[in-house]
Structure formats: C-alpha cells, structure tokens
Amino acid sequence: MSPRAVSIENVSHFYGKRQALNEVTLSIDPGEIFVFLGPNGGGKSTLFRLLSTLMPLSHGEINILSRSVRTHQHEVRQQIGVVFQMPSLDKKLTVLENIHQQAALYGITGALLKERTALLLDKLELEDRKKDIVEDLSGGLRRRVELAKGMLHSPKVLLLDEPSTGLDPAARQAMWRYLEFLRTDQGVTVILTSHLLEEAEKADRIAILDQGQLVALDTPDALKDKIGGATITIRSRQPEALIEKLRDELNLSATEVSELVRLETEDGPATIRMIMQTASDLVDAITLAKPSLEDVFIAMTGRQFTEEVKS
Ligand SMILES: Nc1ncnc2c1ncn2[C@@H]1O[C@H](COP(=O)(O)OP(=O)(O)OP(=O)(O)O)[C@@H](O)[C@H]1O
C-alpha cells in the first residue's frame, strides 16, 4: 500500500484558552484534490498553518509523506509547496524576477531552473507576461505567479490557503485547470482551504470543519447522498393556496421561502407526479434538486453555512 500523502491524528490547537481545533483525525491519499471546507472560524487556517509548518504542532501528530512536521520540519518543507492567503510577491519586480528569487531560496539554478520556469510559465499561461512588473498584473495573474513560486521546487504536495479569494470566475477556472493538471499529469496531492461551497464541489474529497471539529469527510456526492431525499421547489402565483392544497389533499408539508414553495421528499419523481395530478392549476414551474453541500452542513451542525458563530 502506498503511504498516505498526509495523515493527521488527534490534532488539537489552542490560542490561549480558545480551542481552534479539537481532536481532528483524517488522512489524504496521494494524488487527491482535497478541500478543507468551513465557515469563518471553523479552524481551516489553523490547520493550514500546522500543515505548512508555519506554526508548531502542540497536540497530536501530522505526517506529510511519512515525515513528521514535528520532528522533520526541514524535510517536510522540501516536499510541500505553499500558497498563502497573504500575497508573498515583490510587487516592484517582474514575474520572472519573482520566480528567480524563489529559485535562489531553493538553490535551483542553470538548466533545471530554465526547464522548470518554462514549464510553469506555459502551464500557468504566463509566458507573455513574464517581463511585466507584478504590480501591473490583475489579481488572477498574481495568484498564478504565486502558484508558479509554490511549484518551482516540484513539491509532491501543494497547500493553498483560500486560493479563490478575490478571484473572478474566469481566474478561478484558470486556477482549477492548473490544479487538475497537477493532480492528473504530475500526481501532485493538492490540498486547499475554502469557505466556498461551489468550490468544494470540485474536490475529490471534502473535510468539513466547524468550530474546530471535523463534522464530515467524504466525496461531495457521498456526503449529499448520506442526507438522502430531494427538494422540490415550485413557482406559483398563489403560493398560499398551493401550500394549503398540498396539505389538505396530499398531506404534504410545504413552506414558502423567498417567494418559492419548497418541500423535502424521499421520492421526488413520485411526489411531483402527485402534485401535478392534484394542483397543476397552481403550479407555474416545478424543479427537483438533490441535496446541496449547504444541506449537508445544516444536517451536520443544525446551522446555516453562512451563520456567524459567536467566539
Ligand atoms: N492568532 C490567533 N489568536 C487567537 N485566536 C485565533 C487566532 N487565529 C485564529 N483564532 C481563533 O481560532 C478559531 C479558528 O480560526 P481559524 O482562523 O483557524 O478559522 P478559519 O476557518 O480559517 O476561519 P477564516 O475563514 O475566518 O479564516 C477562531 O475562533 C479564531 O477566532
């Protein structure tokens, strides 16, 4: 069996008396795109800092490619690429100069530097911008330069903290294309934190962190399947009359949410047939949707994903 890319065992973290992580245990396989998803304050950044060896581990154990972040910090750093939330680029230098600065830190020179730089500029679609000063670049291009820096030493594990923050949809797509290339073509394990539900949908697996606890861990589809059932949403010009009719004639309990009539059901198609046979005069449009990751979060925590947590 190939070793885990990352194993996290019983990891807790305290800032003074405040507990930011509570006994988190999970492992990540080589070549996975893995997302730590959570609302603000969930503990994602704390775990990211521990994984990237930015902060010392005090409780539990973390191994990256079989090396402990506690005892083999230097070796771990050689194996990981890190893209932080805070920009790390020198804005007054060009794209190429920033990359060369990073190369000097890792002792990458000569033909190897040339070869790696050419591949990164090509894959990150930065070739025609390599002589531009970083401060003249858009947020999306800057993030790509950060990625080039993070991947320059060809790490086997790439860690990214909230990489989509501040990017427009096109820039996000470009970044995801590159992450998928790294996973598929280079076998890199890609681990990112995110508070965006739609981004987590793209992951191979998701760990949901809430108030420092690991509350769910699986593929996006498996997480949604565990909730089961489906949601029917109906647009109606007479929502109140429709809700009454569904209750009185079909014994269905529906509610009005944002001017739409919604109900949860175990068997979507059968329920839709019943509704259309009985109340089609009150239905303008009807849709059936599987549970979303938001529904998963609500089921696991009893709260909306966006709800503030008092700390
Ligand atoms: N340097 C710090 N000192 C004290 N408490 C902290 C510190 N950093 C984080 N915390 C607290 O630890 C908990 C987890 O925070 P963390 O930043 O890890 O969460 P997060 O999921 O990354 O949230 P966000 O998306 O808002 O960054 C929160 O209650 C937070 O207030």
Side-chain angles (χ1 to χ4, degrees), residues 15 18 20 39-46 49 162 311:
Y15 295 102
R18 176 177 295 150
N40 289 338
K44 306 177 296 294
S45 297
T46 301
R49 284 181 215 129
E162 305 259 352
S311 53

